[in-house]
């Protein structure tokens, strides 16, 4: 298994142009549940801005992320509250991430199913992608052998997400996204900066 093979599989999941996703979201844990509407702006190769809010604008949160690094978040724990890990966040939009440098790589192809895995010093990231009329991208992340979370995105034939589900067993918590629309877009530079109070 080579980094070149992995790169080919990862690049097949990345959008080639700016995309605007609009979705409904529902977050549930043992104590409560909350939901609302949101949007995600994704600019290749790895920039994402999301905005979510509950009914009547309650619980609003926004963040901008490049790769696995936050640029900013409002409130500061906006990303961590919903998604415990950046590869899981990206997988909810049908996008796989490249491995950290020095990770051991494994993978296989069987028909329309591609499975690959990165074993790092403490984290393991595993992807399974199925293609065809109705595809899926599943990502599971483990830290020191314990499951951090599992994300599953249902995709159309072009790889556009239709629905996504994240399960975090340690909390336990679930986050469901139902995509309402996906459109090509062109983003103004100021969307990558935080809103002014």
């Amino acid at each position: 298994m080579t980094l070149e093979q992995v790169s080919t599989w990862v690049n097949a999941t990345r959008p080639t142009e700016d995309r605007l996703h609009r979705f409904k979201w529902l977050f549930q844990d043992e104590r409560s549940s909350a939901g609302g509407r949101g949007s995600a702006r994704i600019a290749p190769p790895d920039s994402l801005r999301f905005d979510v809010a509950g009914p009547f604008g309650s619980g609003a949160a926004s963040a901008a992320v490049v790769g696995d690094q936050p640029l900013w978040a409002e409130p500061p724990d906006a990303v961590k509250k919903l998604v415990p890990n950046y590869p899981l966040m990206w997988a909810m939009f049908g996008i796989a991430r490249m491995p950290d440098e020095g990770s051991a790589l494994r993978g296989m192809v069987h028909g329309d199913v591609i499975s690959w895995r990165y074993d790092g010093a403490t984290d393991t990231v595993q992807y399974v992608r199925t293609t065809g009329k109705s595809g899926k991208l599943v990502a599971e992340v483990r830290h020191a052998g314990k499951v951090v979370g599992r994300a599953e995105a249902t995709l159309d034939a072009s790889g556009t997400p239709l629905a996504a589900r994240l399960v975090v067993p340690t909390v336990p918590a679930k986050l469901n996204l139902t995509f309402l629309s996906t459109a090509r877009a062109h983003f103004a530079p100021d969307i990558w900066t935080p809103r002014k109070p």
Side-chain angles (χ1 to χ4, degrees):
M1 161 116 253
T2 67
L3 190 58
E4 188 177 344
Q5 285 174 299
V6 169
S7 182
T8 300
W9 297 337
V10 168
N11 287 337
T13 71
R14 289 181 174 166
T16 56
E17 57 200 356
D18 292 356
R19 293 276 173 96
L20 171 62
H21 300 286
R22 297 196 185 279
F23 53 84
K24 291 190 296 187
W25 62 276
L26 178 64
F27 177 83
Q28 299 170 294
D29 64 17
E30 289 181 321
R31 297 180 307 250
S32 64
S33 69
R37 292 186 179 257
S39 65
R41 295 167 178 89
I42 297 178
D46 62 355
S47 298
L48 179 144
R49 165 153 178 178
F50 79 83
D51 298 274
V52 295
F56 307 110
S58 64
S62 298
V65 173
V66 175
D68 296 337
Q69 297 295 317
L71 293 178
W72 56 267
E74 296 174 0
D77 63 349
V79 178
K80 198 166 192 169
K81 219 174 195 182
L82 294 175
V83 184
N85 175 280
Y86 288 103
L88 293 171
M89 178 196 74
W90 284 104
M92 293 191 75
F93 296 97
I95 300 170
R97 301 286 301 142
M98 287 295 290
D100 290 336
E101 193 173 322
S103 295
L105 309 176
R106 299 179 193 184
M108 63 168 252
V109 179
H110 183 72
D112 62 356
V113 177
I114 304 167
S115 175
W116 69 101
R117 173 174 154 166
Y118 316 143
D119 292 313
T122 58
D123 290 351
T124 299
V125 181
Q126 181 165 359
Y127 292 103
V128 177
R129 181 170 178 248
T130 56
T131 57
K133 191 174 177 183
S134 177
K136 283 190 194 272
L137 178 70
V138 178
E140 182 177 271
V141 175
R142 293 176 179 265
H143 178 75
K146 293 181 81 172
V147 175
V148 172
R150 184 176 193 271
E152 182 175 319
T154 302
L155 313 167
D156 70 11
S158 70
T160 301
L162 303 172
R165 179 181 185 112
L166 170 67
V167 176
V168 181
T170 53
V171 176
K174 295 176 190 166
L175 174 62
N176 291 296
L177 303 182
T178 304
F179 290 85
L180 305 171
S181 68
T182 295
R184 292 181 180 139
H186 178 73
F187 305 133
D190 65 347
I191 70 144
W192 307 110
T193 58
R195 291 182 289 216
K196 292 182 178 160

